[in-house]
Amino acid sequence: MDKSHMPTAFTSHHHWYSSILDSLNSPNPTSLEEYKSTSSFVYTYNHVLHGFSASLSPEEYETLRKSPGFVSAYVDRNATLDTTHTPEFLSLNPSTGLWPASNYGEDVIIGVIDSGVWPESESFKDDGMNTKVPAKWKGICQAGEGFNSSMCNSKLIGVRYFNNDIIAANPGINLRMNSARDTVGHGTHTASTAAGNYVSDASYFGYGKGTARGIAPRARVAVYKVNWDEGRYASDVLAGIDQAIADGVDVISISLGFDGVPLYEDPIAIASFAAMEKDVVVSTSAGNAGPLPRTLHNGIPWVLTAAAGTIDRSFAGSLTLGDDQIIPGWTLFPANAIIKSSPLVYNKSISACNSSELLYEVLDGVVICEPVGSIYDQIDHISTSNVAGAILISNDTKLFELGEVPCPCLVISPEDAAAVIKYAEASPIPLATITFRKTKISTKPAPAVAYYSSRGPSPSYPGVLKPDIMAPGSLVLAAWIPYESTAQIGPNVYLSSDYNLISGTSMSCPHVSGVVALLKGAHPKWSAAAIRSAVITSANPLDNSLNPIRDNGKKYQLASPLAMGAGHIDPNRALDPGLIYDATPKDYINLLCSMKLNKTQLLAIIRSDSYDCSNPSSDLNYPSFIALYNQTRMPGEVLVQKFQRTVTNVGDEVATYKATVNAPKGSAVRVSPNTLVFKRKYEMQSYTLTIKSRSWDKKPDISYGELVWVQEKGKHVVRSPIVVSPNIPHGNVAL
């Protein structure tokens, strides 16, 4: 709604909306059907948009459209969820860098928009926390079913839950848990990843055992439950973000998204614009629809969009053969089991391991399964057989990234398999011993882009390079809800655990949220755009073997920025980025104006018709570059695209930076000027980057490079990825 149309007779916009809805209703319903069709409020929104959500009949909607002040209306939508060692992997150190500089994120408030929280988890105890909650906090600990207000503390400072729309959409529904208590596990996991307290001896059935803690272990947590077992709706998500802004959070972490919607209909885009205006940083997940391009959601210019990567940790077991050969392997079988000196069986008739009936012929032996068909099918057949165990031969990255091994199985590489098969065929009595529950760290190479991580360009606005950054996402260990299955042995045995290993960009998002909270603690006056810039320009494009990051979804080829953004997040370098690319709300409005949106669409995001579209510009001051061309370009046609950028010196008082360019293949890149001289801190300098690329054939191709500003005689290196890409239709062309 356009609030400027509110009659003076109303004391608040809520009363105005109520009056409008009352006018739609029949004053004296004469039938049950007419009574059921009566329009009713779901939510009134105060911050993320000016308007409300309500249950309306088609006729009532048509009448509402004619009301004074009506701007636009959208049908509610369903949201998509995106699902101990990572602080070390990110080089967070108690002695130097971002942890001590931010005092571990003390008093920064992270609002987690998710499926609620399990308050009894050790990750949310307040041991060591400053008992005085920040004065800016305006939230509450909302009581509900199985959740009383005393369950909040100095760590978990507030909870709220929002289910008005799921109830309105499903009259008579009986919610499994009508409170902020988490019955899914997803919200507990993400909240503890971002800011969980220290918990010793945490593990997943013995794997990854150690001290669990969040990225910002002294930050405060506020949880807003919008995801329910029974579904998740846009109106509830909007209400949660609206309330988080009102409550005074500093960071919003939201590991869900809405697919296939334009910015002006995307609840997260609309709500995060209001958050950005208040310098609340919104960290979001890219989605799990990779590896095809243009599949990400949350490709929103004013948020941080996180891709997912692997971690330098592997869960292992070992195979010892009867001749004392020891073969390393991968497993997550959730038991402290030992298969000792069991017969090792290699039989061509059953080696496909795709028949439970044939596997029943192996009595208490360890069967070798050749890489035939789906490894998941093999695991299912082994789980329902009576074999003692199995050796699976595979390099399937999906299995290594997702886990879940319900059988006593060990996965070995095809290279190691040759020696095992040779021994099994040559030995008169081949024997095998398998041990489980081993954890290896500092494995190489890591990180790699997770195969499932959604890729850019952004369908909602491809003119800004998305995703922004990559963070740990595969097999992340964090808090979980008890009494729910987290692992399985065979077809009938289900196990629970207080900590769980799960994978997804839902897991990478709270890592970024935690880093953002630390940066907020260290630089409380930085804008949301400045913090995003610091995260992007300090990212590491190399893995721990000092080679370019690879892409598991592209057969280990070099990873494109459309898969990993600027690279892997590097918290300590983000603390002191040297230069930042800042942006104001006006800059985003100019961007929206350049999109040729109509007045209704602009109002949906900006919430006011006082905006000025006299200076539209699609060239946002963003710390990355993407040049898009039409796929129908003729051979030899030249694309020329110019980008104007302004950087602010937040490093040394006096500094000189020189530009180094690695141009995308087939393109020429010019930077003018190529030297920036700063005489004082917070001084701003501008430059122009021009990309010229020639189309040699009609086949769509993607190339990428980088612009690096290197400080002379200084420590700062400020890197921005460059992409030249066709404007790819959804799901077309592998990256």
Side-chain angles (χ1 to χ4, degrees):
M1 301 292 289
D2 185 345
K3 286 179 68 175
S4 66
H5 287 265
M6 185 177 74
T8 56
F10 296 107
T11 58
S12 73
H13 60 289
H14 178 81
H15 292 150
W16 178 37
Y17 303 152
S18 297
S19 174
I20 292 172
L21 280 186
D22 288 343
S23 70
L24 301 178
N25 295 331
S26 171
N28 297 298
T30 58
S31 67
L32 179 61
E33 288 70 22
E34 190 172 288
Y35 178 81
K36 286 182 177 179
S37 70
T38 299
S39 58
S40 60
F41 260 119
V42 177
Y43 294 106
T44 294
Y45 302 108
N46 303 314
H47 302 277
V48 297
L49 56 82
H50 295 152
F52 59 92
S53 56
S55 298
L56 300 172
S57 69
E59 294 76 19
E60 290 166 340
Y61 165 66
E62 289 301 323
T63 303
L64 176 65
R65 288 180 60 195
K66 300 171 186 176
S67 300
F70 175 86
V71 174
S72 59
Y74 309 106
V75 175
D76 215 339
R77 302 178 183 277
N78 289 315
T80 303
L81 288 175
D82 299 332
T83 293
T84 54
H85 171 62
T86 49
E88 288 90 351
F89 185 42
L90 297 179
S91 299
L92 288 167
N93 188 301
S95 301
T96 61
L98 187 52
W99 258 357
S102 65
N103 200 16
Y104 300 84
E106 185 176 47
D107 286 347
V108 177
I109 304 172
I110 303 177
V112 181
I113 314 294
D114 214 300
S115 64
V117 67
W118 194 266
E120 294 88 355
S121 169
E122 290 288 291
S123 289
F124 303 112
K125 64 185 180 182
D126 59 1
D127 296 0
M129 299 290 296
N130 182 353
T131 57
K132 188 177 180 180
V133 175
K136 62 187 174 184
W137 174 243
K138 302 296 188 295
I140 64 170
C141 190
Q142 184 180 6
E145 182 182 355
F147 202 120
N148 61 60
S149 58
S150 66
M151 290 178 172
C152 293
N153 55 27
S154 299
K155 161 60 75 174
L156 180 64
I157 62 173
V159 302
R160 295 182 190 260
Y161 59 97
F162 302 87
N163 55 25
N164 289 1
D165 197 60
I166 196 169
I167 293 172
N170 303 275
I173 190 172
N174 184 21
L175 296 174
R176 177 183 175 190
M177 182 65 68
N178 192 18
S179 72
R181 183 172 289 280
D182 188 4
T183 57
V184 177
H186 194 271
T188 299
H189 198 279
T190 56
S192 62
T193 298
N197 210 332
Y198 295 83
V199 180
S200 59
D201 294 326
S203 75
Y204 175 78
F205 302 103
Y207 294 97
K209 189 173 183 178
T211 299
R213 69 278 205 204
I215 298 301
R218 288 291 176 257
R220 315 286 182 154
V221 177
V223 173
Y224 301 83
K225 182 176 178 179
V226 300
N227 299 333
W228 302 81
D229 289 17
E230 296 79 10
R232 56 197 75 92
Y233 285 82
S235 295
D236 294 331
V237 174
L238 272 171
I241 300 176
D242 189 76
Q243 190 62 58
I245 295 171
D247 287 346
V249 304
D250 301 296
V251 179
I252 290 176
S253 183
I254 181 163
S255 291
L256 59 85
F258 296 85
D259 299 311
V261 290
L263 292 176
Y264 54 83
E265 292 187 15
D266 185 342
I268 296 176
I270 294 169
S272 61
F273 191 91
M276 172 274 300
E277 290 180 307
K278 297 180 181 297
D279 275 334
V280 176
V281 186
V282 180
S283 170
T284 65
S285 50
N288 302 326
L292 289 176
R294 206 174 169 107
T295 52
L296 63 76
H297 51 215
N298 297 325
I300 302 163
W302 42 87
V303 306
L304 259 168
T305 309
T310 60
I311 303 171
D312 68 335
R313 176 179 61 188
S314 178
F315 302 108
S318 65
L319 166 66
T320 303
L321 302 177
D323 61 359
D324 294 330
Q325 289 187 74
I326 299 176
I327 309 294
W330 181 94
T331 186
L332 267 175
F333 182 59
N336 190 20
I338 298 177
I339 299 172
K340 191 169 184 179
S341 298
S342 185
L344 182 63
V345 179
Y346 178 64
N347 187 325
K348 283 287 186 181
S349 65
I350 62 171
S351 61
C353 296
N354 58 6
S355 168
S356 300
E357 293 180 0
L358 290 176
L359 288 170
Y360 267 108
E361 298 177 6
V362 181
L363 298 176
D364 298 325
V366 174
V367 63
I368 299 174
C369 300
E370 293 189 306
V372 178
S374 166
I375 191 170
Y376 293 101
D377 288 343
Q378 291 179 326
I379 289 173
D380 287 343
H381 287 296
I382 293 163
S383 297
T384 56
S385 72
N386 63 345
V387 300
I391 306 299
L392 304 172
I393 303 169
S394 179
N395 277 331
D396 190 335
T397 58
K398 293 182 182 180
L399 181 66
F400 303 148
E401 290 184 16
L402 299 182
E404 297 186 19
V405 183
C407 63
C409 300
L410 188 70
V411 184
I412 65 173
S413 69
E415 293 75 20
D416 288 334
V420 176
I421 292 174
K422 181 179 179 181
Y423 164 76
E425 291 181 324
S427 175
I429 307 177
L431 299 174
T433 296
I434 304 176
T435 57
F436 301 91
R437 299 211 315 184
K438 299 177 182 292
T439 301
K440 297 180 179 179
I441 59 173
S442 301
T443 58
K444 295 182 179 182
V449 178
Y451 82 92
Y452 54 79
S453 189
S454 292
R455 316 302 167 96
S458 166
S460 57
Y461 186 72
V464 168
L465 178 58
K466 292 288 180 171
D468 293 304
I469 197 74
M470 184 173 76
S474 292
L475 294 179
V476 173
L477 181 68
W480 200 250
I481 59 176
Y483 317 123
E484 291 289 331
S485 173
T486 55
Q488 188 175 346
I489 297 178
N492 301 315
V493 179
Y494 297 90
L495 307 174
S496 64
S497 172
D498 291 337
Y499 287 80
N500 198 6
L501 286 167
I502 56 175
S503 302
T505 57
S506 282
M507 283 65 255
S508 57
C509 169
H511 280 90
V512 175
S513 306
V515 172
V516 166
L518 296 173
L519 290 172
K520 271 277 191 181
H523 300 290
K525 295 184 179 180
W526 278 13
S527 69
I531 288 177
R532 180 184 59 214
S533 173
V535 168
I536 292 174
T537 62
S538 63
N540 192 347
L542 306 179
D543 61 29
N544 59 1
S545 65
L546 301 182
N547 290 306
I549 291 172
R550 300 278 174 169
D551 189 339
N552 282 352
K554 198 183 174 185
K555 299 180 180 178
Y556 312 109
Q557 295 182 30
L558 298 182
S560 159
L562 293 175
M564 69 172 184
H568 199 246
I569 195 166
D570 191 331
N572 295 322
R573 285 195 61 229
L575 172 65
D576 184 16
L579 305 176
I580 57 171
Y581 295 75
D582 212 344
T584 67
K586 176 59 178 171
D587 295 325
Y588 296 111
I589 291 173
N590 290 340
L591 175 70
L592 291 167
C593 291
S594 74
M595 295 172 62
K596 302 190 185 327
L597 303 178
N598 61 39
K599 181 180 179 180
T600 294
Q601 294 163 346
L602 284 170
L603 273 175
I605 301 173
I606 301 171
R607 311 182 313 286
S608 169
D609 59 4
S610 62
Y611 58 84
D612 177 12
C613 266
S614 61
N615 188 31
S617 175
S618 60
D619 193 14
L620 184 66
N621 195 41
Y622 215 77
S624 57
F625 306 88
I626 181 167
L628 297 167
Y629 60 82
N630 192 309
Q631 290 192 58
T632 60
R633 283 201 307 165
M634 299 299 294
E637 184 180 349
V638 176
L639 167 73
V640 179
Q641 191 159 342
K642 290 186 177 181
F643 302 86
Q644 182 76 30
R645 293 291 188 267
T646 299
V647 290
T648 303
N649 176 30
V650 295
D652 301 326
E653 292 283 347
V654 178
T656 298
Y657 287 83
K658 285 195 172 182
T660 300
V661 175
N662 177 17
K665 183 179 179 181
S667 299
V669 177
R670 182 173 180 268
V671 179
S672 178
N674 63 3
T675 300
L676 301 176
V677 179
F678 297 91
K679 297 180 180 179
R680 63 185 183 277
K681 200 166 186 176
Y682 305 118
E683 180 183 354
M684 294 186 290
Q685 296 275 358
S686 297
Y687 69 89
T688 301
L689 182 142
T690 304
I691 302 175
K692 291 185 178 181
S693 61
R694 184 180 298 275
S695 176
W696 297 106
D697 55 46
K698 294 183 180 180
K699 181 181 179 181
D701 57 354
I702 296 168
S703 55
Y704 49 92
E706 61 184 6
L707 163 65
V708 184
W709 288 102
V710 181
Q711 183 183 4
E712 289 187 343
K713 299 179 182 179
K715 62 181 179 179
H716 297 111
V717 176
V718 185
R719 178 181 172 274
S720 295
I722 303 171
V723 171
V724 177
S725 169
N727 197 357
I728 306 166
H730 182 86
N732 186 23
V733 186
L735 300 185

